Amino acid sequence: MVKNTYNFGEEDALLIIDVQKDFCKGGALAVPEAEEIIPVINELIREAEKKEIRIYASRDWHPLEHISFQERDGQWPPHCIQDTEGAEFHPDLNLPENTIVVTKGVRFDQDQSSAFDKTGLAYQMNQEGIRCIWMGGLALDVCVLQSVTDALKAGFQVKLIKAATRPVDPDKGRQAIEDMAKAGAQII
Ligand code: VGL
Ligand code: ZN
């Protein structure tokens, strides 16, 4: 179905942002059409494995009554609560066993929309000699946008795969693409 070849280089990594049940159909904070990205990401995973490219997957992993929830004057309904079903990766996502999981959203004092926000991920990727990050996941206008922005600020090249992401809000999604391109991301 998805017929794409992704030209991964030796210093590349794949970073999949928050493809979790709560962000998909029936979840606490469902992103429209979220499931449509899964075959695209699975194709990226297959290609990354073929080329022995490192795969990272971030997960939103909130404590109960997190500061980002509406009950705490945050922006979001409760979602991705630690060790609940909604916080699980989507079952159709074929994450290999050697995927490195990046846990975020755990801090009591702030949200972490970006997978790079106080997670040490930029340090880890630099240690591994990674120069270029291919990114997709959920949601385009929230955590993907923030992660792409932070990756660029940290000096990585970024390739955002458009078919591998969906926004919470379509207008904000279009704006996010524009902003990421302006910041230097390559949109594929
Ligand atoms: C996200 C809203 C709240 C995301 C996380 O992963 O895009 N969105 N928490
Ligand atoms: Zn969250």
Side-chain angles (χ1 to χ4, degrees), residues 18 23 29 60-62 66 68-69 76 79-80 104-105 111-112 143:
D18 300 3
F23 294 125
L29 183 41
D60 214 26
W61 194 252
H62 295 306
H66 187 245
S68 74
F69 297 169
W76 309 110
H79 63 279
C80 297
K104 64 185 201 42
D111 202 3
Q112 291 160 286
C143 290

mmCIF file with all atom_site columns, all heavy atoms in Angstrom, residues 18 23 29 60-62 66 68-69 76 79-80 104-105 111-112 143, ligand 2:
data_model
loop_
_atom_site.group_PDB
_atom_site.id
_atom_site.type_symbol
_atom_site.label_atom_id
_atom_site.label_alt_id
_atom_site.label_comp_id
_atom_site.label_asym_id
_atom_site.label_entity_id
_atom_site.label_seq_id
_atom_site.pdbx_PDB_ins_code
_atom_site.Cartn_x
_atom_site.Cartn_y
_atom_site.Cartn_z
_atom_site.occupancy
_atom_site.B_iso_or_equiv
_atom_site.pdbx_formal_charge
_atom_site.auth_seq_id
_atom_site.auth_comp_id
_atom_site.auth_asym_id
_atom_site.auth_atom_id
_atom_site.pdbx_PDB_model_num
ATOM   1   N  N   . ASP A 1 18  ? 4.986  9.746  20.144 1.00 0.00 ? 18  ASP A N   1
ATOM   2   C  CA  . ASP A 1 18  ? 3.720  9.550  20.867 1.00 0.00 ? 18  ASP A CA  1
ATOM   3   C  C   . ASP A 1 18  ? 2.592  8.846  20.094 1.00 0.00 ? 18  ASP A C   1
ATOM   4   O  O   . ASP A 1 18  ? 1.434  9.296  20.138 1.00 0.00 ? 18  ASP A O   1
ATOM   5   C  CB  . ASP A 1 18  ? 3.183  10.909 21.373 1.00 0.00 ? 18  ASP A CB  1
ATOM   6   C  CG  . ASP A 1 18  ? 4.150  11.614 22.316 1.00 0.00 ? 18  ASP A CG  1
ATOM   7   O  OD1 . ASP A 1 18  ? 5.255  11.090 22.543 1.00 0.00 ? 18  ASP A OD1 1
ATOM   8   O  OD2 . ASP A 1 18  ? 3.813  12.708 22.814 1.00 0.00 ? 18  ASP A OD2 1
ATOM   9   N  N   . PHE A 1 23  ? -4.122 8.864  21.837 1.00 0.00 ? 23  PHE A N   1
ATOM   10  C  CA  . PHE A 1 23  ? -4.106 9.844  20.744 1.00 0.00 ? 23  PHE A CA  1
ATOM   11  C  C   . PHE A 1 23  ? -4.772 9.295  19.482 1.00 0.00 ? 23  PHE A C   1
ATOM   12  O  O   . PHE A 1 23  ? -4.810 9.961  18.458 1.00 0.00 ? 23  PHE A O   1
ATOM   13  C  CB  . PHE A 1 23  ? -2.676 10.285 20.435 1.00 0.00 ? 23  PHE A CB  1
ATOM   14  C  CG  . PHE A 1 23  ? -2.021 11.052 21.553 1.00 0.00 ? 23  PHE A CG  1
ATOM   15  C  CD1 . PHE A 1 23  ? -0.812 10.641 22.090 1.00 0.00 ? 23  PHE A CD1 1
ATOM   16  C  CD2 . PHE A 1 23  ? -2.625 12.188 22.080 1.00 0.00 ? 23  PHE A CD2 1
ATOM   17  C  CE1 . PHE A 1 23  ? -0.207 11.347 23.128 1.00 0.00 ? 23  PHE A CE1 1
ATOM   18  C  CE2 . PHE A 1 23  ? -2.038 12.895 23.120 1.00 0.00 ? 23  PHE A CE2 1
ATOM   19  C  CZ  . PHE A 1 23  ? -0.826 12.476 23.645 1.00 0.00 ? 23  PHE A CZ  1
ATOM   20  N  N   . LEU A 1 29  ? -7.717 11.587 23.991 1.00 0.00 ? 29  LEU A N   1
ATOM   21  C  CA  . LEU A 1 29  ? -7.355 12.826 23.280 1.00 0.00 ? 29  LEU A CA  1
ATOM   22  C  C   . LEU A 1 29  ? -7.073 12.456 21.828 1.00 0.00 ? 29  LEU A C   1
ATOM   23  O  O   . LEU A 1 29  ? -5.978 12.645 21.306 1.00 0.00 ? 29  LEU A O   1
ATOM   24  C  CB  . LEU A 1 29  ? -6.132 13.457 23.968 1.00 0.00 ? 29  LEU A CB  1
ATOM   25  C  CG  . LEU A 1 29  ? -5.542 14.784 23.532 1.00 0.00 ? 29  LEU A CG  1
ATOM   26  C  CD1 . LEU A 1 29  ? -6.618 15.806 23.188 1.00 0.00 ? 29  LEU A CD1 1
ATOM   27  C  CD2 . LEU A 1 29  ? -4.648 15.351 24.614 1.00 0.00 ? 29  LEU A CD2 1
ATOM   28  N  N   . ASP A 1 60  ? 4.152  9.886  25.789 1.00 0.00 ? 60  ASP A N   1
ATOM   29  C  CA  . ASP A 1 60  ? 3.638  10.798 26.797 1.00 0.00 ? 60  ASP A CA  1
ATOM   30  C  C   . ASP A 1 60  ? 3.256  9.916  27.988 1.00 0.00 ? 60  ASP A C   1
ATOM   31  O  O   . ASP A 1 60  ? 2.584  8.890  27.807 1.00 0.00 ? 60  ASP A O   1
ATOM   32  C  CB  . ASP A 1 60  ? 2.396  11.478 26.192 1.00 0.00 ? 60  ASP A CB  1
ATOM   33  C  CG  . ASP A 1 60  ? 2.214  12.908 26.644 1.00 0.00 ? 60  ASP A CG  1
ATOM   34  O  OD1 . ASP A 1 60  ? 3.210  13.555 26.998 1.00 0.00 ? 60  ASP A OD1 1
ATOM   35  O  OD2 . ASP A 1 60  ? 1.057  13.379 26.633 1.00 0.00 ? 60  ASP A OD2 1
ATOM   36  N  N   . TRP A 1 61  ? 3.668  10.294 29.189 1.00 0.00 ? 61  TRP A N   1
ATOM   37  C  CA  . TRP A 1 61  ? 3.588  9.341  30.311 1.00 0.00 ? 61  TRP A CA  1
ATOM   38  C  C   . TRP A 1 61  ? 3.328  10.127 31.591 1.00 0.00 ? 61  TRP A C   1
ATOM   39  O  O   . TRP A 1 61  ? 4.203  10.327 32.426 1.00 0.00 ? 61  TRP A O   1
ATOM   40  C  CB  . TRP A 1 61  ? 4.922  8.572  30.364 1.00 0.00 ? 61  TRP A CB  1
ATOM   41  C  CG  . TRP A 1 61  ? 4.964  7.347  31.200 1.00 0.00 ? 61  TRP A CG  1
ATOM   42  C  CD1 . TRP A 1 61  ? 5.617  7.192  32.397 1.00 0.00 ? 61  TRP A CD1 1
ATOM   43  C  CD2 . TRP A 1 61  ? 4.399  6.065  30.904 1.00 0.00 ? 61  TRP A CD2 1
ATOM   44  N  NE1 . TRP A 1 61  ? 5.463  5.908  32.855 1.00 0.00 ? 61  TRP A NE1 1
ATOM   45  C  CE2 . TRP A 1 61  ? 4.724  5.193  31.958 1.00 0.00 ? 61  TRP A CE2 1
ATOM   46  C  CE3 . TRP A 1 61  ? 3.610  5.578  29.844 1.00 0.00 ? 61  TRP A CE3 1
ATOM   47  C  CZ2 . TRP A 1 61  ? 4.305  3.862  31.990 1.00 0.00 ? 61  TRP A CZ2 1
ATOM   48  C  CZ3 . TRP A 1 61  ? 3.200  4.255  29.874 1.00 0.00 ? 61  TRP A CZ3 1
ATOM   49  C  CH2 . TRP A 1 61  ? 3.546  3.416  30.924 1.00 0.00 ? 61  TRP A CH2 1
ATOM   50  N  N   . HIS A 1 62  ? 2.059  10.586 31.706 1.00 0.00 ? 62  HIS A N   1
ATOM   51  C  CA  . HIS A 1 62  ? 1.727  11.530 32.760 1.00 0.00 ? 62  HIS A CA  1
ATOM   52  C  C   . HIS A 1 62  ? 1.375  10.858 34.085 1.00 0.00 ? 62  HIS A C   1
ATOM   53  O  O   . HIS A 1 62  ? 0.671  9.844  34.102 1.00 0.00 ? 62  HIS A O   1
ATOM   54  C  CB  . HIS A 1 62  ? 0.524  12.385 32.349 1.00 0.00 ? 62  HIS A CB  1
ATOM   55  C  CG  . HIS A 1 62  ? 0.789  13.269 31.172 1.00 0.00 ? 62  HIS A CG  1
ATOM   56  N  ND1 . HIS A 1 62  ? 1.835  14.144 31.101 1.00 0.00 ? 62  HIS A ND1 1
ATOM   57  C  CD2 . HIS A 1 62  ? 0.098  13.434 30.008 1.00 0.00 ? 62  HIS A CD2 1
ATOM   58  C  CE1 . HIS A 1 62  ? 1.792  14.809 29.963 1.00 0.00 ? 62  HIS A CE1 1
ATOM   59  N  NE2 . HIS A 1 62  ? 0.750  14.386 29.270 1.00 0.00 ? 62  HIS A NE2 1
ATOM   60  N  N   . HIS A 1 66  ? -1.936 15.344 36.337 1.00 0.00 ? 66  HIS A N   1
ATOM   61  C  CA  . HIS A 1 66  ? -0.764 16.089 35.835 1.00 0.00 ? 66  HIS A CA  1
ATOM   62  C  C   . HIS A 1 66  ? -1.116 17.565 35.625 1.00 0.00 ? 66  HIS A C   1
ATOM   63  O  O   . HIS A 1 66  ? -2.260 17.920 35.359 1.00 0.00 ? 66  HIS A O   1
ATOM   64  C  CB  . HIS A 1 66  ? -0.275 15.469 34.518 1.00 0.00 ? 66  HIS A CB  1
ATOM   65  C  CG  . HIS A 1 66  ? 1.009  16.062 34.031 1.00 0.00 ? 66  HIS A CG  1
ATOM   66  N  ND1 . HIS A 1 66  ? 1.101  16.778 32.862 1.00 0.00 ? 66  HIS A ND1 1
ATOM   67  C  CD2 . HIS A 1 66  ? 2.253  16.052 34.573 1.00 0.00 ? 66  HIS A CD2 1
ATOM   68  C  CE1 . HIS A 1 66  ? 2.351  17.180 32.694 1.00 0.00 ? 66  HIS A CE1 1
ATOM   69  N  NE2 . HIS A 1 66  ? 3.068  16.752 33.723 1.00 0.00 ? 66  HIS A NE2 1
ATOM   70  N  N   . SER A 1 68  ? -0.666 19.400 33.203 1.00 0.00 ? 68  SER A N   1
ATOM   71  C  CA  . SER A 1 68  ? -1.179 19.739 31.865 1.00 0.00 ? 68  SER A CA  1
ATOM   72  C  C   . SER A 1 68  ? -2.665 19.409 31.704 1.00 0.00 ? 68  SER A C   1
ATOM   73  O  O   . SER A 1 68  ? -3.251 19.682 30.660 1.00 0.00 ? 68  SER A O   1
ATOM   74  C  CB  . SER A 1 68  ? -0.380 18.999 30.788 1.00 0.00 ? 68  SER A CB  1
ATOM   75  O  OG  . SER A 1 68  ? -0.722 17.623 30.758 1.00 0.00 ? 68  SER A OG  1
ATOM   76  N  N   . PHE A 1 69  ? -3.287 18.823 32.733 1.00 0.00 ? 69  PHE A N   1
ATOM   77  C  CA  . PHE A 1 69  ? -4.694 18.427 32.629 1.00 0.00 ? 69  PHE A CA  1
ATOM   78  C  C   . PHE A 1 69  ? -5.611 19.593 33.023 1.00 0.00 ? 69  PHE A C   1
ATOM   79  O  O   . PHE A 1 69  ? -5.255 20.413 33.875 1.00 0.00 ? 69  PHE A O   1
ATOM   80  C  CB  . PHE A 1 69  ? -4.999 17.219 33.531 1.00 0.00 ? 69  PHE A CB  1
ATOM   81  C  CG  . PHE A 1 69  ? -4.254 15.954 33.171 1.00 0.00 ? 69  PHE A CG  1
ATOM   82  C  CD1 . PHE A 1 69  ? -4.272 14.864 34.036 1.00 0.00 ? 69  PHE A CD1 1
ATOM   83  C  CD2 . PHE A 1 69  ? -3.534 15.842 31.981 1.00 0.00 ? 69  PHE A CD2 1
ATOM   84  C  CE1 . PHE A 1 69  ? -3.598 13.684 33.718 1.00 0.00 ? 69  PHE A CE1 1
ATOM   85  C  CE2 . PHE A 1 69  ? -2.856 14.672 31.654 1.00 0.00 ? 69  PHE A CE2 1
ATOM   86  C  CZ  . PHE A 1 69  ? -2.884 13.592 32.532 1.00 0.00 ? 69  PHE A CZ  1
ATOM   87  N  N   . TRP A 1 76  ? -5.393 20.175 28.583 1.00 0.00 ? 76  TRP A N   1
ATOM   88  C  CA  . TRP A 1 76  ? -5.824 18.898 28.020 1.00 0.00 ? 76  TRP A CA  1
ATOM   89  C  C   . TRP A 1 76  ? -6.695 18.094 28.978 1.00 0.00 ? 76  TRP A C   1
ATOM   90  O  O   . TRP A 1 76  ? -6.525 18.176 30.191 1.00 0.00 ? 76  TRP A O   1
ATOM   91  C  CB  . TRP A 1 76  ? -4.592 18.056 27.659 1.00 0.00 ? 76  TRP A CB  1
ATOM   92  C  CG  . TRP A 1 76  ? -3.593 18.771 26.822 1.00 0.00 ? 76  TRP A CG  1
ATOM   93  C  CD1 . TRP A 1 76  ? -2.355 19.179 27.215 1.00 0.00 ? 76  TRP A CD1 1
ATOM   94  C  CD2 . TRP A 1 76  ? -3.739 19.189 25.455 1.00 0.00 ? 76  TRP A CD2 1
ATOM   95  N  NE1 . TRP A 1 76  ? -1.723 19.810 26.177 1.00 0.00 ? 76  TRP A NE1 1
ATOM   96  C  CE2 . TRP A 1 76  ? -2.536 19.837 25.096 1.00 0.00 ? 76  TRP A CE2 1
ATOM   97  C  CE3 . TRP A 1 76  ? -4.755 19.078 24.510 1.00 0.00 ? 76  TRP A CE3 1
ATOM   98  C  CZ2 . TRP A 1 76  ? -2.335 20.364 23.821 1.00 0.00 ? 76  TRP A CZ2 1
ATOM   99  C  CZ3 . TRP A 1 76  ? -4.551 19.609 23.246 1.00 0.00 ? 76  TRP A CZ3 1
ATOM   100 C  CH2 . TRP A 1 76  ? -3.358 20.234 22.911 1.00 0.00 ? 76  TRP A CH2 1
ATOM   101 N  N   . HIS A 1 79  ? -4.958 12.255 29.919 1.00 0.00 ? 79  HIS A N   1
ATOM   102 C  CA  . HIS A 1 79  ? -4.558 11.338 28.841 1.00 0.00 ? 79  HIS A CA  1
ATOM   103 C  C   . HIS A 1 79  ? -3.199 10.738 29.171 1.00 0.00 ? 79  HIS A C   1
ATOM   104 O  O   . HIS A 1 79  ? -2.428 11.319 29.944 1.00 0.00 ? 79  HIS A O   1
ATOM   105 C  CB  . HIS A 1 79  ? -4.481 12.099 27.507 1.00 0.00 ? 79  HIS A CB  1
ATOM   106 C  CG  . HIS A 1 79  ? -3.434 13.171 27.525 1.00 0.00 ? 79  HIS A CG  1
ATOM   107 N  ND1 . HIS A 1 79  ? -3.648 14.409 28.081 1.00 0.00 ? 79  HIS A ND1 1
ATOM   108 C  CD2 . HIS A 1 79  ? -2.146 13.176 27.104 1.00 0.00 ? 79  HIS A CD2 1
ATOM   109 C  CE1 . HIS A 1 79  ? -2.547 15.119 27.999 1.00 0.00 ? 79  HIS A CE1 1
ATOM   110 N  NE2 . HIS A 1 79  ? -1.615 14.413 27.421 1.00 0.00 ? 79  HIS A NE2 1
ATOM   111 N  N   . CYS A 1 80  ? -2.925 9.609  28.562 1.00 0.00 ? 80  CYS A N   1
ATOM   112 C  CA  . CYS A 1 80  ? -1.612 8.948  28.684 1.00 0.00 ? 80  CYS A CA  1
ATOM   113 C  C   . CYS A 1 80  ? -1.145 8.884  30.132 1.00 0.00 ? 80  CYS A C   1
ATOM   114 O  O   . CYS A 1 80  ? -0.003 9.238  30.454 1.00 0.00 ? 80  CYS A O   1
ATOM   115 C  CB  . CYS A 1 80  ? -0.569 9.631  27.803 1.00 0.00 ? 80  CYS A CB  1
ATOM   116 S  SG  . CYS A 1 80  ? -0.948 9.532  26.047 1.00 0.00 ? 80  CYS A SG  1
ATOM   117 N  N   . LYS A 1 104 ? 8.321  11.001 28.433 1.00 0.00 ? 104 LYS A N   1
ATOM   118 C  CA  . LYS A 1 104 ? 8.196  12.445 28.675 1.00 0.00 ? 104 LYS A CA  1
ATOM   119 C  C   . LYS A 1 104 ? 6.830  12.747 29.279 1.00 0.00 ? 104 LYS A C   1
ATOM   120 O  O   . LYS A 1 104 ? 5.945  11.886 29.280 1.00 0.00 ? 104 LYS A O   1
ATOM   121 C  CB  . LYS A 1 104 ? 8.375  13.211 27.366 1.00 0.00 ? 104 LYS A CB  1
ATOM   122 C  CG  . LYS A 1 104 ? 7.283  12.913 26.334 1.00 0.00 ? 104 LYS A CG  1
ATOM   123 C  CD  . LYS A 1 104 ? 7.613  13.604 25.054 1.00 0.00 ? 104 LYS A CD  1
ATOM   124 C  CE  . LYS A 1 104 ? 6.426  13.795 24.157 1.00 0.00 ? 104 LYS A CE  1
ATOM   125 N  NZ  . LYS A 1 104 ? 5.166  14.202 24.733 1.00 0.00 ? 104 LYS A NZ  1
ATOM   126 N  N   . GLY A 1 105 ? 6.688  13.966 29.799 1.00 0.00 ? 105 GLY A N   1
ATOM   127 C  CA  . GLY A 1 105 ? 5.411  14.333 30.419 1.00 0.00 ? 105 GLY A CA  1
ATOM   128 C  C   . GLY A 1 105 ? 5.306  13.844 31.852 1.00 0.00 ? 105 GLY A C   1
ATOM   129 O  O   . GLY A 1 105 ? 4.232  13.858 32.443 1.00 0.00 ? 105 GLY A O   1
ATOM   130 N  N   . ASP A 1 111 ? 4.840  20.651 31.698 1.00 0.00 ? 111 ASP A N   1
ATOM   131 C  CA  . ASP A 1 111 ? 4.606  19.670 30.655 1.00 0.00 ? 111 ASP A CA  1
ATOM   132 C  C   . ASP A 1 111 ? 5.897  19.523 29.863 1.00 0.00 ? 111 ASP A C   1
ATOM   133 O  O   . ASP A 1 111 ? 6.790  20.359 29.962 1.00 0.00 ? 111 ASP A O   1
ATOM   134 C  CB  . ASP A 1 111 ? 3.443  20.110 29.749 1.00 0.00 ? 111 ASP A CB  1
ATOM   135 C  CG  . ASP A 1 111 ? 2.825  18.928 29.017 1.00 0.00 ? 111 ASP A CG  1
ATOM   136 O  OD1 . ASP A 1 111 ? 3.253  17.778 29.244 1.00 0.00 ? 111 ASP A OD1 1
ATOM   137 O  OD2 . ASP A 1 111 ? 1.888  19.153 28.214 1.00 0.00 ? 111 ASP A OD2 1
ATOM   138 N  N   . GLN A 1 112 ? 6.015  18.437 29.131 1.00 0.00 ? 112 GLN A N   1
ATOM   139 C  CA  . GLN A 1 112 ? 7.148  18.244 28.222 1.00 0.00 ? 112 GLN A CA  1
ATOM   140 C  C   . GLN A 1 112 ? 6.577  17.846 26.870 1.00 0.00 ? 112 GLN A C   1
ATOM   141 O  O   . GLN A 1 112 ? 6.476  16.673 26.552 1.00 0.00 ? 112 GLN A O   1
ATOM   142 C  CB  . GLN A 1 112 ? 8.067  17.130 28.738 1.00 0.00 ? 112 GLN A CB  1
ATOM   143 C  CG  . GLN A 1 112 ? 8.829  17.453 30.010 1.00 0.00 ? 112 GLN A CG  1
ATOM   144 C  CD  . GLN A 1 112 ? 9.291  16.174 30.690 1.00 0.00 ? 112 GLN A CD  1
ATOM   145 O  OE1 . GLN A 1 112 ? 8.489  15.457 31.278 1.00 0.00 ? 112 GLN A OE1 1
ATOM   146 N  NE2 . GLN A 1 112 ? 10.582 15.876 30.600 1.00 0.00 ? 112 GLN A NE2 1
ATOM   147 N  N   . CYS A 1 143 ? 3.226  18.026 19.939 1.00 0.00 ? 143 CYS A N   1
ATOM   148 C  CA  . CYS A 1 143 ? 4.507  17.406 20.319 1.00 0.00 ? 143 CYS A CA  1
ATOM   149 C  C   . CYS A 1 143 ? 5.465  17.228 19.148 1.00 0.00 ? 143 CYS A C   1
ATOM   150 O  O   . CYS A 1 143 ? 6.682  17.303 19.339 1.00 0.00 ? 143 CYS A O   1
ATOM   151 C  CB  . CYS A 1 143 ? 4.249  16.087 21.024 1.00 0.00 ? 143 CYS A CB  1
ATOM   152 S  SG  . CYS A 1 143 ? 3.512  16.365 22.652 1.00 0.00 ? 143 CYS A SG  1
HETATM 153 ZN ZN  . ZN  B 2 .   ? 0.291  15.048 27.303 1.00 0.00 ? 2   ZN  B ZN  1
#
